[in-house]
C-alpha cells in the first residue's frame, strides 16, 4: 500500500447549517458553513460531535459529499432506524443550528484530479456519498479521466443524487453510470432485482489490464463481496481502496 | 450546545473511553480487499534492529502455549465492544528469546498494511497473536488466520493478517499513522488523530 498524505492537527470547529436538501425520504444533505475550513480531498470524511444540554456528547463520522468549496462542507446523512445521531441530523437539525465538526480525516480513500488512471467507483446504498464527491470533483476540475460508477441500491427511490447523475452522464464526457437494484427494479428494467455479481462488475467496470483505480464503498458485506470480485477478476489488490459503513453508524 | 439534541438515555452501564459508543456487532475497518492466507503458507517473522530473524510457521505457533484473554476493544471509528473472547499466543512468549535493544515495533501484514507502536506496549501481558475469536477460528475479514491483539490501544493498532514485526531503534509511522492518525492511539486519552 502506498503512503497517504500527512495531515495537520485536527481541531473542533463550529459548523452552521446553511442549507438542507432531501435526497430520499430517509437521507438528507446538510450544507455546513465552517469558517476557516482547511479544504479537503474527495473521499475524505469528518467527525461530527453533538452535545446535549446536560453536557452529554457523542460523535459520528460522515463522508463529505462534495469537493472543497471555500468554507462549505456538504454531508449526506442516511437516517438509521433507532440511531442516536442520524435521526437528529435528518429530522431535527435546522438551518441556523450548529454542530461541532473536525476534519478532514482519511488520506487513503481519496481521488486526486491530477490522477489520470481510469477510475471505477462501486457504491452500495449510502456508500455513494464519498464517490459522489469524486464525480463532482472531476467535473469541477474539468478532468477528462475516465470514470465508471456502478451504483447498487435497493429500489429506484433509494438512489441519492439521481437527477444530478442523469445530468452528469449527459454533460460530463467520459462518465458512465450503471445502476443495480437489489429489491425493486424500475418499470421497463431488463432483469430481476439481484445483488451485484462477477458478470456485473466485469461488464460495467474496467478490464484489469487498464490498471484502474478502484474505490468501493458501502456496507461491510457489500464491500467484502465487491472487493473479492475485483481481486478474482485480476485487479491488483493495492489498487482497490475500500471504505465500509458498519451497521452501527447511526 | 446542539439545540434539540438529547441523545440516548444516559445509562449507568460500563464506562467507555471518551467519544465511544457501545456496539454488540463486530464491524470491520480495512483499507482494501481481504487477503486470504492459507495456514500452510503462513509465517510470522520477528526481525531485530540487527537484522536477526526469528520465524514461526503455523504449526510452530499452534505448539506454543495459548492464552484466552477477554478484553474490551475500541475502534477509532467510535465503536467499542466489551468482553470479547480470544485465543492467542502472548508476545511475551514469542519475544522471550529475542535479543533486542529496540524501543519501537513496526508491524507488517499480509496485504501490505502496517502500523507502529512502542515495543513496551507489546510486552507484559498486553498483546497477543490471536487466532480464535468468540469460540471459532478467526475469520479472514477480522484478520484471520491471525491478527495482532493490543486491546489497550485503538483497534487499528491490532493489525489484521499479521505477518511480522520489525523491531526498531526509531519510530516509523505505519499506514493510518502516515494518513494523520495518532502515533500512539490511547482511547482513554482520545488520541485519534495527530496532535490529539
Amino acid at each position: 500500500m502506498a503512503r497517504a498524505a500527512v495531515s495537520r492537527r485536527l481541531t473542533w470547529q463550529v459548523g452552521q447549517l446553511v442549507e438542507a436538501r432531501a435526497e430520499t425520504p430517509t437521507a438528507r444533505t446538510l450544507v455546513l458553513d465552517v469558517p476557516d475550513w482547511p479544504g479537503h480531498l474527495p473521499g475524505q470524511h469528518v467527525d461530527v460531535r453533538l452535545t446535549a444540554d446536560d453536557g452529554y456528547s457523542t460523535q459520528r463520522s460522515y463522508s463529505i459529499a462534495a469537493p472543497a468549496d471555500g468554507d462549505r462542507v456538504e454531508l449526506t446523512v442516511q437516517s438509521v432506524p433507532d440511531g442516536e445521531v442520524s435521526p437528529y441530523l435528518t429530522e431535527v437539525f435546522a438551518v441556523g443550528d450548529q454542530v461541532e465538526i473536525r476534519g478532514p480525516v482519511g488520506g487513503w480513500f481519496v481521488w486526486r484530479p491530477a490522477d489520470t488512471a481510469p477510475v471505477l467507483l462501486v457504491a452500495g446504498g449510502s456508500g455513494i456519498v464519498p464517490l459522489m464527491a469524486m464525480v463532482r470533483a472531476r467535473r469541477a476540475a474539468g478532468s477528462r479521466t475516465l470514470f465508471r460508477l456502478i451504483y447498487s441500491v435497493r429500489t429506484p427511490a433509494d438512489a441519492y443524487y439521481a437527477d444530478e447523475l442523469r445530468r452528469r452522464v449527459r454533460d460530463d464526457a467520459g462518465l458512465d453510470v450503471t445502476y443495480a437494484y437489489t429489491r425493486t427494479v424500475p418499470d421497463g428494467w431488463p432483469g430481476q432485482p439481484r445483488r451485484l455479481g462477477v458478470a456485473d462488475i466485469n461488464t460495467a467496470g474496467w478490464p484489469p489490464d487498464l490498471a484502474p483505480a478502484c474505490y468501493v464503498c458501502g456496507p461491510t458485506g457489500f464491500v467484502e463481496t465487491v472487493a473479492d470480485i475485483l481481486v478474482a477478476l485480476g485487479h491488483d489488490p493495492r489498487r482497490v481502496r475500500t471504505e465500509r459503513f458498519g451497521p452501527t453508524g447511526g | 450546545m446542539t439545540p434539540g439534541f438529547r441523545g440516548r438515555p444516559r445509562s449507568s452501564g460500563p464506562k467507555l473511553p471518551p467519544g465511544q459508543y457501545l456496539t454488540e456487532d463486530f464491524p470491520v475497518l480495512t483499507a482494501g480487499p481481504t487477503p486470504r492466507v492459507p495456514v500452510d503458507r503462513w509465517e510470522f517473522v520477528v526481525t531485530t534492529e540487527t537484522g536477526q530473524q526469528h520465524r514461526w510457521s503455523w504449526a510452530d505457533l499452534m505448539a506454543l502455549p495459548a492464552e484466552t484473554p477477554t478484553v474490551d476493544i475500541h475502534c477509532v471509528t467510535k465503536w467499542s465492544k466489551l468482553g470479547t473472547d480470544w485465543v492467542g499466543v502472548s508476545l511475551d512468549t514469542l519475544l522471550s528469546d529475542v535479543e533486542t535493544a529496540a524501543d519501537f515495533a513496526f508491524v507488517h501484514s499480509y496485504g501490505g498494511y502496517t502500523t507502529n507502536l512502542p515495543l513496551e506496549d507489546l510486552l507484559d501481558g498486553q498483546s497477543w497473536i490471536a487466532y480464535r475469536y468468540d469460540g471459532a477460528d478467526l475469520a479472514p475479514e477480522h484478520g484471520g488466520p491471525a491478527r495482532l491483539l493490543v486491546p489497550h490501544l485503538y483497534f487499528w493498532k491490532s493489525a489484521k493478517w499479521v505477518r511480522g514485526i520489525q523491531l526498531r531503534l526509531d519510530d516509523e509511522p505505519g499506514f493510518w499513522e502516515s494518513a494523520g492518525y495518532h502515533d500512539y492511539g490511547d482511547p482513554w486519552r482520545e488520541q485519534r488523530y495527530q496532535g490529539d
Side-chain angles (χ1 to χ4, degrees):
Chain A
M1 284 180 193
R3 280 285 160 70
V6 174
S7 60
R8 79 226 181 282
R9 179 173 184 167
L10 299 177
T11 54
W12 289 104
Q13 296 174 263
V14 173
Q16 184 169 41
L17 189 67
V18 292
E19 187 188 330
R21 296 189 297 272
E23 300 292 352
T24 72
T26 55
R28 187 188 195 205
T29 290
L30 310 173
V31 182
L32 300 166
D33 179 68
V34 187
D36 302 318
W37 181 249
H40 56 267
L41 294 167
Q44 290 189 295
H45 60 272
V46 297
D47 286 355
V48 171
R49 182 163 70 184
L50 304 184
T51 305
D53 51 13
D54 67 350
Y56 168 81
S57 80
T58 191
Q59 304 177 22
R60 295 292 186 278
S61 297
Y62 292 105
S63 289
I64 308 175
D69 177 16
D71 291 341
R72 285 168 67 100
V73 177
E74 202 166 314
L75 314 175
T76 304
V77 177
Q78 173 70 43
S79 185
V80 176
D82 298 324
E84 180 180 31
V85 173
S86 57
Y88 171 82
L89 290 177
T90 51
E91 292 157 27
V92 181
F93 192 48
V95 168
D97 288 348
Q98 296 181 335
V99 287
E100 287 180 290
I101 180 171
R102 72 171 181 160
V105 181
W108 171 248
F109 195 83
V110 297
W111 177 73
R112 292 175 171 81
D115 295 344
T116 55
V119 169
L120 173 62
L121 310 174
V122 189
S126 56
I128 186 67
V129 176
L131 306 182
M132 192 64 185
M134 298 179 191
V135 169
R136 288 167 165 166
R138 175 184 184 273
R139 166 76 175 189
S143 162
R144 298 291 185 95
T145 295
L146 296 173
F147 265 46
R148 285 182 174 173
L149 166 64
I150 304 173
Y151 186 9
S152 174
V153 287
R154 276 185 287 190
T155 76
D158 290 312
Y160 296 7
Y161 321 124
D163 291 341
E164 183 182 345
L165 281 170
R166 241 188 316 274
R167 276 201 317 277
R168 297 242 172 269
V169 169
R170 187 191 65 202
D171 300 341
D172 299 7
L175 169 69
D176 290 320
V177 178
T178 305
Y179 283 92
Y181 301 93
T182 59
R183 201 162 294 173
T184 310
V185 298
D187 291 340
W189 185 258
Q192 297 295 311
R194 60 193 167 88
R195 299 192 173 279
L196 280 182
V198 176
D200 302 298
I201 306 285
N202 200 27
T203 306
W206 298 107
D209 57 355
L210 289 185
C214 303
Y215 299 85
V216 186
C217 187
T220 291
F222 174 87
V223 171
E224 276 291 308
T225 301
V226 172
D228 286 350
I229 288 172
L230 287 167
V231 172
L233 286 171
H235 291 272
D236 182 344
R238 291 168 297 187
R239 297 192 61 78
V240 179
R241 299 177 189 220
T242 62
E243 184 103 305
R244 295 152 205 252
F245 291 173
T248 55
Chain B
M1 194 82 210
T2 314
F5 175 69
R6 291 189 301 278
R8 290 210 194 284
R10 320 294 183 255
S11 70
S12 54
K15 189 164 157 32
L16 292 174
Q20 296 293 110
Y21 62 90
L22 200 57
T23 177
E24 301 299 324
D25 298 314
F26 191 178
V28 170
L29 172 73
T30 47
T34 295
R36 261 60 181 191
V37 190
V39 293
D40 57 358
R41 296 217 317 262
W42 184 92
E43 66 171 1
F44 177 70
V45 182
V46 170
T47 308
T48 70
E49 70 278 16
T50 62
Q52 196 182 16
Q53 294 199 320
H54 302 256
R55 291 173 184 273
W56 291 265
S57 67
W58 189 256
D60 296 336
L61 186 76
M62 293 300 114
L64 291 171
E67 298 181 358
T68 55
T70 297
V71 297
D72 301 339
I73 54 180
H74 310 290
C75 181
V76 73
T77 62
K78 325 274 183 338
W79 59 263
S80 290
K81 190 170 169 64
L82 305 183
T84 60
D85 291 318
W86 303 81
V87 177
V89 176
S90 168
L91 264 292
D92 295 320
T93 303
L94 290 159
L95 296 178
S96 61
D97 294 330
V98 175
E99 278 189 37
T100 181
D103 287 324
F104 299 98
F106 188 70
V107 184
H108 300 255
S109 294
Y110 292 93
Y113 181 76
T114 57
T115 190
N116 59 302
L117 65 170
L119 177 56
E120 65 178 0
D121 285 84
L122 292 179
L123 302 175
D124 297 327
Q126 296 186 96
S127 81
W128 297 266
I129 301 296
Y131 51 83
R132 286 178 68 80
Y133 166 73
D134 201 18
D137 290 343
L138 185 60
E141 61 265 35
H142 291 308
R147 74 181 298 163
L148 184 62
L149 176 65
V150 198
H152 70 287
L153 301 178
Y154 279 126
F155 212 42
W156 89 80
K157 299 285 184 181
S158 293
K160 297 181 198 180
W161 316 297
V162 67
R163 174 180 208 163
I165 298 177
Q166 195 185 348
L167 302 176
R168 301 173 57 99
L169 301 173
D170 58 339
D171 198 8
E172 161 88 12
F175 177 75
W176 290 117
E177 293 83 1
S178 299
Y181 285 79
H182 200 275
D183 265 327
Y184 186 62
D186 179 351
W188 296 97
R189 287 187 278 166
E190 207 173 358
Q191 293 172 334
R192 299 181 193 277
Y193 310 120
Q194 282 177 29
D196 280 354

